[in-house]
Amino acid sequence: MNVRTLCLAILYFGDATGYEIKKMSVEGRYAHFVDASFGSIYPALAKLEADGCLTVREEPQPGKPARKIYSITEAGRQQFIEALHEPPGPDVFRSAFLMVSMCADLLPRERVAQAVDERLADLSAEIEHLKQVAETTESAGVAWSVRYGITCLTASRDYLAATREDLEAIAVDPAGEPPGDTVAAE
Amino acid sequence: MNVRTLCLAILYFGDATGYEIKKMSVEGRYAHFVDASFGSIYPALAKLEADGCLTVREEPQPGKPARKIYSITEAGRQQFIEALHEPPGPDVFRSAFLMVSMCADLLPRERVAQAVDERLADLSAEIEHLKQVAETTESAGVAWSVRYGITCLTASRDYLAATREDLEAIAVDPAGEPPGDTVAAE
DNA sequence: TAGGCCATGTAACCGGTTACATGATTAG
DNA sequence: CTAATCATGTAACCGGTTACATGGCCTA
């Protein structure tokens, strides 16, 4: 999924400015597709408008640059539906935490514990966020997706909370050998 | 996590060639960090060697280019441990399936069912793969990580299998209005 | 009064992919 | 006979990020 399609997706469900699209792609319920920056969104919107997929309406604001509110056109809707029909690539999960847990035996216990705390906090925050989305959405598809997300994230959080002791026990003893020495003895 | 660190991680646990690193980063237990291509791995290994993080040993093979087997040096180990101490970014989950499920009401039921089938197959394949890794690993950290992964993926698969009817019921009736028209009526 | 939020946009950069070049061996 | 696997490497490209430019309003 590229920024172009993301813009189409967001605008399918309502008008928005580039600034709002950025926010939604980072914090909102569109956060699991591509996290686009201004440097990619503004050019994408301009291109989309030139292609006839969007229309703009400018709303002047005293002292600020005018808000450029984009609306999707029929051509834009069609392009999005087409994109939805394309075979989706496999889901991608990239985790720096996983690298820490795989290498727990190379790290001091406190470092591993810290990584677990952070991951647990991230997980809880995301679950809370999804619960808020669940309360505000009217779309059945979004509601199903949110329940799915909450289920997966909760399973992850619960397992991590229940087994963190096992993971932390793998880490090197802070009083024992300094990190690296155990394996470095080749 | 960039390709450089990935190479260091893989070579920390044993010598390998660029070709083998590629395979591990796509299929192996390193698949959840960056999926690097040859075009990024070979230059990274050359740079790493120039930086004194790796040593190479060439193993000539009749008719094929010589295998260049890389080994990590003490400097390389230190750099990897340092990378492990850096604050890891939040975990990233990117899903085209999620876009389909969120927009289920814009798609024909068969399209949604197909996406569910594919996702279910991906999930099962990955669970099977992790079970195989579990049988072969000797590292306690890898073993913990694999159990964690199996737990999360199983929760995901089970919930999807249990609620797929709900999701498919959201899709547009194939006998009814063609996709797009329901919402397009603005 | 400092910092964050609003709001747009451009240009340089960069990390990665894709395609290319080369070629023997093995499995279907 | 074809396709995949092994095995290395380069060059063009591209989609995205980062940093920059501008500036008023609101909150701590």
Side-chain angles (χ1 to χ4, degrees):
Chain A
M1 168 102 39
N2 53 20
V3 172
R4 184 185 169 95
T5 309
L6 175 80
C7 291
L8 247 20
I10 291 176
L11 293 169
Y12 200 110
F13 295 107
D15 296 354
T17 67
Y19 191 85
E20 289 165 345
I21 289 172
K22 163 79 191 309
K23 267 182 73 180
M24 284 188 247
S25 76
V26 172
E27 311 164 11
R29 62 168 161 283
Y30 298 95
H32 291 284
F33 308 109
V34 282
D35 43 17
S37 60
F38 291 126
S40 55
I41 288 173
Y42 286 124
L45 288 172
K47 183 79 196 320
L48 241 11
E49 199 216 331
D51 291 351
C53 296
L54 305 179
T55 56
V56 213
R57 154 176 42 111
E58 269 185 63
E59 205 173 76
Q61 305 183 116
K64 284 181 203 174
R67 280 162 58 87
K68 296 178 85 169
I69 303 161
Y70 289 92
S71 305
I72 198 165
T73 64
E74 196 48 41
R77 288 186 197 274
Q78 269 168 35
Q79 263 203 22
F80 178 59
I81 300 282
E82 270 168 46
L84 237 34
H85 275 83
E86 268 169 37
D91 289 9
V92 170
F93 177 64
R94 289 286 127 81
S95 172
F97 170 74
L98 225 53
M99 183 57 94
V100 169
S101 69
M102 276 176 64
C103 302
D105 53 354
L106 307 175
L107 293 168
R109 185 169 186 141
E110 55 182 18
R111 176 75 191 86
V112 176
Q114 183 202 333
V116 171
D117 286 337
E118 278 165 26
R119 182 86 189 103
L120 237 22
D122 283 354
L123 249 11
S124 292
E126 206 168 348
I127 290 167
E128 272 318 300
H129 174 247
L130 285 181
K131 283 181 180 170
Q132 282 181 3
V133 173
E135 282 169 26
T136 53
T137 190
E138 285 164 24
S139 154
V142 172
W144 185 93
S145 305
V146 164
R147 287 194 301 272
Y148 183 41
I150 290 174
T151 303
C152 295
L153 292 169
T154 303
S156 176
R157 186 190 58 181
D158 292 351
Y159 188 83
L160 184 51
T163 66
R164 64 176 299 171
E165 298 292 330
D166 299 338
L167 179 63
E168 286 164 33
I170 297 168
V172 297
D173 184 350
E177 58 278 273
D181 273 20
T182 30
V183 188
E186 230 180 341
Chain B
M1 168 100 44
N2 53 20
V3 172
R4 184 186 169 94
T5 310
L6 176 80
C7 290
L8 247 20
I10 291 176
L11 293 168
Y12 201 109
F13 295 107
D15 297 354
T17 67
Y19 191 85
E20 289 164 346
I21 288 172
K22 164 77 189 313
K23 267 182 70 179
M24 284 188 249
S25 77
V26 172
E27 312 163 13
R29 61 169 160 282
Y30 299 95
H32 292 283
F33 307 110
V34 279
D35 44 16
S37 60
F38 291 126
S40 55
I41 289 173
Y42 286 124
L45 289 172
K47 182 82 195 322
L48 240 13
E49 199 216 329
D51 291 351
C53 295
L54 305 179
T55 55
V56 213
R57 152 175 44 110
E58 268 183 66
E59 204 174 74
Q61 303 182 118
K64 284 182 205 175
R67 278 161 61 86
K68 295 178 85 171
I69 303 160
Y70 289 91
S71 303
I72 198 166
T73 64
E74 199 45 47
R77 288 184 195 275
Q78 269 168 34
Q79 263 203 21
F80 178 60
I81 299 284
E82 271 167 46
L84 237 34
H85 276 83
E86 268 168 38
D91 289 9
V92 170
F93 177 63
R94 290 288 127 80
S95 173
F97 170 74
L98 226 53
M99 183 57 92
V100 169
S101 69
M102 276 176 65
C103 302
D105 52 354
L106 306 177
L107 293 168
R109 186 171 185 140
E110 54 182 20
R111 175 77 191 86
V112 175
Q114 183 203 333
V116 172
D117 286 336
E118 277 166 25
R119 181 88 189 102
L120 238 22
D122 282 354
L123 248 12
S124 292
E126 207 167 349
I127 291 168
E128 272 318 299
H129 173 247
L130 285 182
K131 283 181 179 169
Q132 282 181 4
V133 173
E135 282 170 24
T136 54
T137 190
E138 285 164 23
S139 154
V142 172
W144 185 93
S145 305
V146 164
R147 286 194 302 271
Y148 183 40
I150 289 174
T151 303
C152 296
L153 293 170
T154 302
S156 176
R157 186 191 56 181
D158 291 352
Y159 188 82
L160 183 52
T163 66
R164 63 175 299 171
E165 297 291 330
D166 298 339
L167 179 63
E168 286 163 32
I170 296 167
V172 297
D173 185 349
E177 59 278 275
D181 272 19
T182 28
V183 187
E186 228 179 346

